[in-house]
Amino acid sequence: MEQTKIILDENEMPRQWYNILPDLSSPIEPPLDPRTWEPISPEALEPIFAKGLIKQEMSSERFIDIPEEILEIYKLWRPSPLYRAHRLEKLLKTPAKIYYKNEGVSPAGSHKTNTSIAQAYYNMKEGNERLTTETGAGQWGSALALACNYFDLECKVYMVRSSYYQKPYRKSLMTIWGGNVVPSPSSDTEFGRKIQKEQPDTPGSLGIAISEAVEDAIAHDSTKYSLGSVLNHVMLHQTVIGAECKKQLEQVETYPDIVIGCCGGGSNLAGISLEFIKDRLEGKNSPRVIAVEPSACPSLTKGEYRYDFGDTAEMTPLLKMYTLGHEHVPPAIHAGGLRYHGDSPIISKLCAEGLIEAVSYDQCPVFDAAIQFARTEGIVPAPESSHAIRCAIDEALKCKQTGEEKTILFNLSGHGHFDMSSYDKYFNKELT
Amino acid sequence: MEQTKIILDENEMPRQWYNILPDLSSPIEPPLDPRTWEPISPEALEPIFAKGLIKQEMSSERFIDIPEEILEIYKLWRPSPLYRAHRLEKLLKTPAKIYYKNEGVSPAGSHKTNTSIAQAYYNMKEGNERLTTETGAGQWGSALALACNYFDLECKVYMVRSSYYQKPYRKSLMTIWGGNVVPSPSSDTEFGRKIQKEQPDTPGSLGIAISEAVEDAIAHDSTKYSLGSVLNHVMLHQTVIGAECKKQLEQVETYPDIVIGCCGGGSNLAGISLEFIKDRLEGKNSPRVIAVEPSACPSLTKGEYRYDFGDTAEMTPLLKMYTLGHEHVPPAIHAGGLRYHGDSPIISKLCAEGLIEAVSYDQCPVFDAAIQFARTEGIVPAPESSHAIRCAIDEALKCKQTGEEKTILFNLSGHGHFDMSSYDKYFNKELT
């Protein structure tokens, strides 16, 4: 049997991030100032973000060196293993070869640490002392708490209310690393208090939590805001995933026909796919790329491609993206990390140009896939990542119909150890 | 900086288990029949255990080949990484070098899968269809549920009541892999019903849960019992840990001065240390080996070395071991996996002969160490494993006093993702 895990040594870890911006067919539409709707200057972003990150957000360099201090922390879990899903293939009786990248091996349990470490680093370098953020499922908040711990920054996390109560142990995890977590809407910000008053029963949303975190950052000294997805610099930091996958697949002399990632804001999908889309943009052979969304929050499959705010309170710059509207509050599904009204501008542009396809699934078939995966590959996947599993299984089943031996690669963006209440609801048939 | 993770390829995985029995200074004292107190015959164990495991329990072969089917499943997570704890060393300002073996990378989150896979395999080979077991913290029950899933066996888990309610999501995990879990004492066995009646408020104990699981196995066809620690064949299966460590340390040209493992029944300690004790028995240079117990259940440090039952109902064979007495019910501490009145006969004998030292710690200093570890190495450790961390830190601090550059190796037997309620209690200062 071909090997199960394809691993790389630490010294084979990518030392540069890949920036797709200069490779795009046309420049990406700039963010707009929320007050004037005119393109925003880098300086105007400085009250919110570290300068080093703003520079990356708008960079025209194709490759950006990863600072040594970041590489040293990445080494705690990177390079992450690439798995051949022998047992899943056997269960499906498919001629397809299924590979998955296991980003769940990071201490916080997902790919989010790839950017949280980088963001905390640049903030520390510029003398900032505190970061604020929002979190949905808690994966991002955990990742930022871990990163702030390494660079001696305070970390304040506004956690979407529905997730805060569905996943109480995510809060515990953030606390272990020194993070300070409150349910959003909270009483710590003006906007949070307003929503609490107007919609006392709201499950919360990423849009609301972002507004709170941005307000907090602007209101406090030495404090910046940190976003776990959507922005260009976040996509940039995640490209280590795809770069590792490419090296790992070369080890077994293969190249994917299909690359799959779940998609909320777009970061894990960008992480695994941009390296392969680069091949397309260079005129080489390249795979189909599929974004998988929950049908309860179908921004790519049912949204409009236009400028919209990133948050509910209209405090963030406007971004050109697929959006369901910034006032949209998606139902409290169990893949909390995919409950975002918008999408990464990079992913949106690639979708609009046909370089990425998008599909959506209901919760139940996604959990069916998660159980099939857990009972074959062993690993219990996060509900978010299980969207990618569902799609990979369906593509493998299509190969069974056609007899094609396609190579399918998907991103297992995180483990589900903190999502047991969701699995309980699935087994109790309480999912809709 | 020397590398962080020392990894092995799948093809470097040990292909044999090391059996210490023939290397001991004198034969290990045999198990006694609970009715006659005479040495028990292999046949008399057959209603409880698979024959292949009974053979290993009493084997005189020094090395036993690991069947290919087991190796194929081990490959899902083995070889596990060995880490150099650079950041912990820096925090402690110690000249010591600290290494830890990360057994938390298995799908069930601990070293327990090394033996659960083997036990399920031999039972499947002999045509058994169902396994029963007990679990304390839930690590063992999860590991057996995973293993039974791979070999199409039913799995019934009696989970110590205090852990069942402290760690509800461990039950969810077992359910994902198809296991059937009940709190012990349960109403599913005669002994369980008796205890429920006599001690309605008992937190339960491993001793009680073992009695229930053994009664269930004897009472049902095609059903055997499976034990996650204590027995010789369990220690045998865990020796892959130490064999991998040795190869990994050779890669960085070092050899440990001290080897540390937490100790409940003894399996993770045996797993990491027997390979090094082999060196001692062969007359070579070898490390100090330290067993770390909770002071709430100090079998090695305060128990008596004598024959005792493995369970509360006096149904199991008697084993010569360090014991607090088989009727002892330890307090409901958070390291549920270390709440056992006895110890492995192999570990006990090595302790009695001075080849293993034992120390004990209270809960609070153990959680202090867990937090130091999580904030330096990133990984959130299980409370059980944190006993080993506490001891490793203390040994490293002694080196700081003396200036000695000792090499310390400890077993990180599992992660703490399902132990968040224990961490919450620690932060709320509710631990005693």
Side-chain angles (χ1 to χ4, degrees):
Chain A
M1 199 187 275
E2 187 198 285
Q3 67 192 106
T4 297
K5 297 185 301 301
I6 303 155
I7 53 180
L8 297 173
D9 277 327
E10 284 173 16
N11 56 23
E12 295 173 283
M13 192 158 62
R15 304 185 73 86
Q16 293 187 311
W17 291 304
Y18 164 58
N19 176 23
I20 199 170
L21 294 179
D23 286 354
L24 294 174
S25 59
S26 61
I28 200 152
E29 289 77 359
L32 305 183
D33 190 305
R35 290 155 299 188
T36 62
W37 286 57
E38 293 295 320
I40 201 163
S41 69
E43 294 71 29
L45 292 170
E46 290 179 9
I48 310 180
F49 295 111
K51 293 185 198 73
L53 298 171
I54 298 169
K55 194 174 154 203
Q56 291 181 348
E57 187 68 16
M58 303 176 172
S59 173
S60 56
E61 287 177 63
R62 292 188 75 211
F63 296 96
I64 295 175
D65 288 342
I66 306 176
E68 200 59 41
E69 295 94 319
I70 294 176
L71 287 171
E72 282 300 322
I73 296 180
Y74 278 178
K75 281 184 192 169
L76 289 172
W77 69 94
R78 302 210 73 84
S80 67
L82 181 77
Y83 278 76
R84 171 83 185 269
H86 290 298
R87 287 180 172 71
L88 180 59
E89 291 172 17
K90 202 172 159 192
L91 175 78
L92 301 175
K93 298 191 176 72
T94 176
K97 291 180 182 174
I98 306 176
Y99 292 89
Y100 58 96
K101 182 72 165 166
N102 185 3
E103 289 292 304
V105 297
S106 87
S110 82
H111 69 292
K112 293 286 187 184
T113 43
N114 298 327
T115 185
S116 71
I117 299 294
Q119 294 191 41
Y121 168 80
Y122 289 107
N123 274 285
M124 174 277 293
K125 288 293 271 188
E126 295 173 26
N128 296 316
E129 293 169 3
R130 184 169 174 270
L131 285 177
T132 67
T133 197
E134 77 295 332
T135 197
Q139 302 267 25
W140 169 242
S142 312
L144 194 67
L146 177 73
C148 285
N149 162 71
Y150 279 126
F151 293 110
D152 283 328
L153 304 173
E154 277 184 64
C155 181
K156 172 74 174 272
V157 181
Y158 293 87
M159 184 168 185
V160 174
R161 187 190 276 174
S162 57
S163 294
Y164 185 92
Y165 293 107
Q166 270 175 13
K167 304 183 180 182
Y169 292 149
R170 274 279 170 197
K171 172 182 180 291
S172 318
L173 185 60
M174 295 183 241
T175 306
I176 287 172
W177 290 316
N180 176 14
V181 193
V182 291
S184 166
S186 78
S187 52
D188 294 1
T189 66
E190 203 173 309
F191 185 67
R193 290 187 293 271
K194 179 168 172 280
I195 296 281
Q196 281 185 344
K197 201 171 162 190
E198 290 171 6
Q199 306 170 42
D201 297 326
T202 178
S205 70
L206 282 170
I208 296 169
I210 293 172
S211 296
E212 290 205 88
V214 170
E215 180 188 324
D216 180 329
I218 295 170
H220 291 91
D221 287 341
S222 298
T223 299
K224 299 288 172 195
Y225 166 69
S226 181
L227 186 61
S229 193
V230 177
L231 299 179
N232 303 341
H233 67 268
V234 179
M235 306 299 130
L236 173 79
H237 301 150
Q238 294 295 355
T239 57
V240 289
I241 301 173
E244 286 180 6
C245 283
K246 216 177 217 182
K247 284 191 189 187
Q248 288 165 314
L249 289 172
E250 278 166 13
Q251 269 193 30
V252 290
E253 297 176 352
T254 192
Y255 185 88
D257 297 298
I258 305 176
V259 173
I260 300 168
C262 65
C263 190
S267 79
N268 95 80
L269 173 68
I272 199 160
S273 69
L274 294 187
E275 180 71 25
F276 295 100
I277 291 174
K278 168 157 76 70
D279 292 344
R280 174 94 63 108
L281 299 173
E282 288 172 351
K284 297 181 199 159
N285 182 30
S286 72
R288 283 172 62 202
V289 175
I290 308 178
V292 192
E293 317 189 297
S295 51
C297 193
S299 47
L300 292 174
T301 44
K302 298 215 173 143
E304 292 174 29
Y305 187 40
R306 60 173 169 85
Y307 269 105
D308 195 9
F309 293 96
D311 69 328
T312 307
E314 308 187 351
M315 296 175 71
T316 68
L318 291 126
L319 299 172
K320 176 87 179 279
M321 60 184 177
Y322 279 94
T323 177
L324 296 164
H326 65 281
E327 286 169 334
H328 180 84
V329 177
I333 57 165
H334 289 273
L338 306 182
R339 287 180 75 238
Y340 186 59
H341 67 273
D343 258 295
S344 145
I346 288 175
I347 295 293
S348 295
K349 188 175 174 75
L350 294 169
C351 265
E353 294 181 353
L355 278 79
I356 294 180
E357 306 163 34
V359 295
S360 71
Y361 286 104
D362 289 345
Q363 289 195 91
C364 282
V366 165
F367 275 89
D368 292 342
I371 298 298
Q372 283 193 312
F373 185 79
R375 291 186 179 174
T376 48
E377 297 302 307
I379 300 166
V380 176
E384 291 80 5
S385 320
S386 302
H387 286 72
I389 298 173
R390 174 76 268 165
C391 180
I393 288 176
D394 285 355
E395 290 296 330
L397 291 174
K398 280 183 209 165
C399 289
K400 189 175 166 181
Q401 294 296 320
T402 61
E404 289 171 290
E405 292 181 27
K406 286 186 181 166
T407 296
I408 299 170
L409 168 67
F410 74 86
N411 200 0
L412 184 71
S413 56
H415 65 62
H417 299 173
F418 292 89
D419 300 288
M420 289 295 132
S421 61
S422 306
Y423 280 97
D424 287 350
K425 289 208 170 72
Y426 169 76
F427 283 115
N428 294 336
K429 305 198 185 304
E430 293 167 21
L431 290 191
T432 50
Chain B
M1 198 187 273
E2 187 199 285
Q3 67 192 104
T4 297
K5 296 185 302 300
I6 303 155
I7 54 181
L8 297 174
D9 278 326
E10 283 173 16
N11 56 24
E12 296 174 282
M13 194 159 60
R15 304 185 71 86
Q16 294 187 311
W17 291 305
Y18 164 57
N19 176 23
I20 199 170
L21 294 179
D23 286 355
L24 293 173
S25 59
S26 59
I28 200 153
E29 289 77 0
L32 305 184
D33 190 304
R35 290 154 298 189
T36 62
W37 286 56
E38 292 296 319
I40 201 163
S41 67
E43 294 71 29
L45 291 170
E46 289 179 9
I48 311 181
F49 295 112
K51 293 186 199 73
L53 298 171
I54 297 169
K55 194 175 154 202
Q56 291 180 349
E57 187 67 17
M58 303 175 171
S59 172
S60 56
E61 288 177 62
R62 292 187 74 211
F63 297 97
I64 295 175
D65 288 343
I66 305 175
E68 201 59 40
E69 295 95 319
I70 295 175
L71 288 171
E72 282 300 322
I73 296 179
Y74 277 179
K75 280 184 192 170
L76 290 171
W77 68 94
R78 302 211 73 84
S80 68
L82 181 77
Y83 278 76
R84 171 84 185 268
H86 290 298
R87 287 180 171 72
L88 180 60
E89 290 172 17
K90 202 171 159 192
L91 175 79
L92 301 175
K93 298 191 176 72
T94 176
K97 291 179 182 175
I98 306 176
Y99 292 89
Y100 59 95
K101 182 71 164 168
N102 185 2
E103 289 292 304
V105 296
S106 87
S110 82
H111 70 292
K112 293 287 187 184
T113 43
N114 299 326
T115 186
S116 71
I117 299 294
Q119 293 190 42
Y121 168 79
Y122 289 107
N123 274 284
M124 174 277 293
K125 288 293 271 186
E126 294 173 26
N128 296 315
E129 293 169 3
R130 184 169 174 271
L131 285 178
T132 67
T133 198
E134 77 294 333
T135 196
Q139 303 266 26
W140 168 241
S142 312
L144 194 67
L146 177 72
C148 285
N149 162 71
Y150 279 125
F151 293 109
D152 284 328
L153 304 173
E154 277 184 64
C155 181
K156 172 73 174 273
V157 181
Y158 293 87
M159 185 168 184
V160 175
R161 185 189 279 175
S162 58
S163 293
Y164 185 93
Y165 293 107
Q166 270 175 13
K167 303 181 182 184
Y169 292 150
R170 273 279 169 197
K171 171 182 181 291
S172 318
L173 185 60
M174 294 182 243
T175 306
I176 287 172
W177 289 315
N180 175 14
V181 193
V182 291
S184 165
S186 78
S187 52
D188 294 359
T189 66
E190 202 173 309
F191 185 68
R193 290 186 292 272
K194 178 168 172 280
I195 297 280
Q196 281 186 342
K197 199 170 164 192
E198 290 172 3
Q199 306 169 43
D201 297 327
T202 179
S205 71
L206 282 171
I208 296 169
I210 293 172
S211 296
E212 290 204 89
V214 171
E215 181 189 323
D216 180 329
I218 294 171
H220 291 90
D221 287 341
S222 296
T223 300
K224 300 289 171 193
Y225 166 69
S226 182
L227 186 61
S229 192
V230 178
L231 300 179
N232 303 340
H233 67 270
V234 180
M235 306 299 129
L236 174 78
H237 301 151
Q238 294 294 354
T239 57
V240 289
I241 301 173
E244 286 180 7
C245 284
K246 215 177 217 181
K247 284 191 189 186
Q248 288 165 313
L249 289 172
E250 278 166 12
Q251 270 192 30
V252 289
E253 297 177 354
T254 192
Y255 185 89
D257 297 298
I258 305 175
V259 173
I260 299 168
C262 65
C263 191
S267 78
N268 95 80
L269 174 68
I272 199 162
S273 69
L274 295 187
E275 179 71 26
F276 295 101
I277 291 175
K278 168 156 77 70
D279 292 345
R280 174 94 62 106
L281 299 173
E282 288 171 351
K284 298 180 197 159
N285 182 29
S286 72
R288 284 173 61 202
V289 175
I290 308 177
V292 193
E293 321 189 292
S295 51
C297 193
S299 47
L300 292 174
T301 44
K302 297 215 175 143
E304 291 173 31
Y305 187 40
R306 61 173 170 85
Y307 270 105
D308 195 9
F309 292 96
D311 69 329
T312 307
E314 307 187 352
M315 296 175 70
T316 69
L318 292 126
L319 299 172
K320 177 86 179 278
M321 60 184 178
Y322 279 95
T323 176
L324 297 164
H326 64 281
E327 287 170 332
H328 180 85
V329 178
I333 57 166
H334 289 273
L338 306 182
R339 286 179 75 237
Y340 186 60
H341 67 273
D343 259 295
S344 145
I346 288 175
I347 295 292
S348 295
K349 188 175 174 75
L350 294 170
C351 266
E353 293 181 354
L355 278 79
I356 294 178
E357 306 163 34
V359 296
S360 70
Y361 286 104
D362 290 344
Q363 289 195 92
C364 281
V366 165
F367 275 89
D368 293 343
I371 298 298
Q372 283 193 313
F373 185 78
R375 292 186 178 175
T376 48
E377 297 301 308
I379 300 166
V380 176
E384 291 80 4
S385 320
S386 302
H387 286 73
I389 299 173
R390 175 75 269 165
C391 180
I393 289 176
D394 286 355
E395 290 295 329
L397 291 174
K398 281 184 207 163
C399 289
K400 189 175 166 182
Q401 294 296 322
T402 61
E404 289 171 290
E405 293 181 25
K406 286 187 180 166
T407 296
I408 299 169
L409 168 67
F410 74 86
N411 201 1
L412 184 70
S413 55
H415 64 61
H417 299 172
F418 293 89
D419 300 287
M420 289 294 133
S421 62
S422 306
Y423 280 97
D424 286 350
K425 289 210 170 71
Y426 169 77
F427 283 115
N428 294 336
K429 304 199 185 303
E430 293 167 20
L431 291 190
T432 48

